[in-house]
Amino acid sequence: MEFQLRLTISFGVFACLLSMALATPGTATFYTQYVPSACYGNKDNGVMIAAASDPLWGNGAICGKVFNVTCTGPTNPVPHPCTGQSVVVKIVDHCPGCGGTLDLSREAFATIANPVAGIIKIDYYQ
């Protein structure tokens, strides 16, 4: 029993470290009008959502995918914007020409960073 518990904990730590190692760096901005969306039209998908930039959009193939997003630092003079938390968001929209890799809902952005920053550095993974 003790061996199984150690094995389970070890696997969990390994999986967490592996997922962090596979994270992709990018930038995030935020938006405030969630409906309609490019993926779901007028369907409300809550507030822990995001829009994908052109490089990620893939003609809508990213719709519905879920990403873990963590703030890693500032991109402008706002000091220490990160809260130290991560957020899980669902891709529901496309942000053509937006200033970041992911355009998070304001609520998702505020979970990981001070919205005053406007744009932040992130790591994200599916």
Side-chain angles (χ1 to χ4, degrees):
M1 177 86 164
E2 186 177 322
F3 174 74
Q4 287 177 324
L5 180 59
R6 283 189 205 171
L7 184 61
T8 302
I9 291 171
S10 296
F11 179 75
V13 168
F14 174 76
C16 182
L17 291 173
L18 180 63
S19 66
M20 287 190 290
L22 298 176
T24 304
T27 56
T29 52
F30 70 88
Y31 68 115
T32 57
Q33 184 173 344
Y34 312 143
V35 177
S37 69
C39 298
Y40 299 101
N42 289 318
K43 181 180 179 216
D44 183 358
N45 282 276
V47 296
M48 291 305 168
I49 57 174
S53 62
D54 290 329
L56 296 177
W57 180 241
N59 206 26
I62 199 168
C63 288
K65 304 256 190 253
V66 176
F67 289 87
N68 185 296
V69 185
T70 304
C71 175
T72 58
T75 61
N76 57 38
V78 174
H80 314 292
C82 303
T83 65
Q85 296 182 313
S86 294
V87 67
V88 175
V89 294
K90 177 180 174 182
I91 302 296
V92 301
D93 211 347
H94 179 209
C95 60
C98 66
T101 308
L102 292 173
D103 199 15
L104 304 173
S105 67
R106 187 181 194 292
E107 292 83 354
F109 191 99
T111 299
I112 63 170
N114 181 347
V116 171
I119 184 168
I120 55 171
K121 294 177 186 174
I122 59 168
D123 279 344
Y124 65 98
Y125 63 90
Q126 190 172 345

